[in-house]
Amino acid sequence: MAAVRGAALAREKLAQAKSDAARRGQLPRTEPRRRPGGQRRDSGDPQLFGRAIRDLLADRGWEQTAAIGGVFGRWREIVGPGLAEHTRPESFADGEVIVTADSTAWATQVRLLASTLVKRLNEELGDGTVKQVKVRGPVGGSARPEGGLRVRGSRGPRDTYR
């Protein structure tokens, strides 16, 4: 019963809004909308979702940002599970990708693979997008614990010690 009243009320309000708009001279469009390039859109036909998203990204200039976000989201797939387990992309700016490794050994490994990584990323993003890969080691304070007690001759905790 309440749904019937609600639908009737909605129809009534819609009719009222249309008549108010007509009185103000704001009638609904009778011709199809034009795209910024002057192209006509097919009279209200729905667009494919992917095409609509691509058009939106192109109109706003977000294509490269979206592509980089996609690469960061698929990092494991792009660099492989072994490397992805110990690294993560941090940022991209001016052709430089910053990658953080979880140990100094992996940071060194990524530095040795940097040129291969640049090629692989450019395959995904387009030639010349990535110019350099900068690698950071683990973030943290000193590897030495605070305090005066030390065991002589031990290796002690290091960033790769577990």
Side-chain angles (χ1 to χ4, degrees), residues 71-142:
V71 166
F72 282 18
R74 296 180 308 119
W75 184 252
R76 182 177 199 81
E77 179 184 319
I78 292 168
V79 301
L83 189 59
E85 189 174 322
H86 299 283
T87 62
R88 71 178 183 281
E90 289 293 326
S91 65
F92 175 84
D94 301 324
E96 180 180 85
V97 175
I98 297 177
V99 177
T100 300
D102 64 1
S103 71
T104 55
W106 277 102
T108 302
Q109 184 69 20
V110 175
R111 285 184 190 100
L112 294 172
L113 295 171
S115 62
T116 305
L117 196 52
V118 167
K119 288 177 191 171
R120 180 67 182 107
L121 292 171
N122 280 329
E123 287 174 8
E124 293 289 325
L125 297 170
D127 282 339
T129 304
V130 177
K131 295 175 180 64
Q132 180 181 8
V133 172
K134 187 174 182 180
V135 185
R136 292 186 180 154
V139 179
S142 170

Side-chain angles (χ1 to χ4, degrees), residues 8-24:
L9 181 61
R11 275 192 290 279
E12 181 183 321
K13 291 296 181 185
L14 178 61
Q16 180 66 41
K18 284 181 179 180
S19 69
D20 290 346
R23 255 185 276 124
R24 289 190 309 266

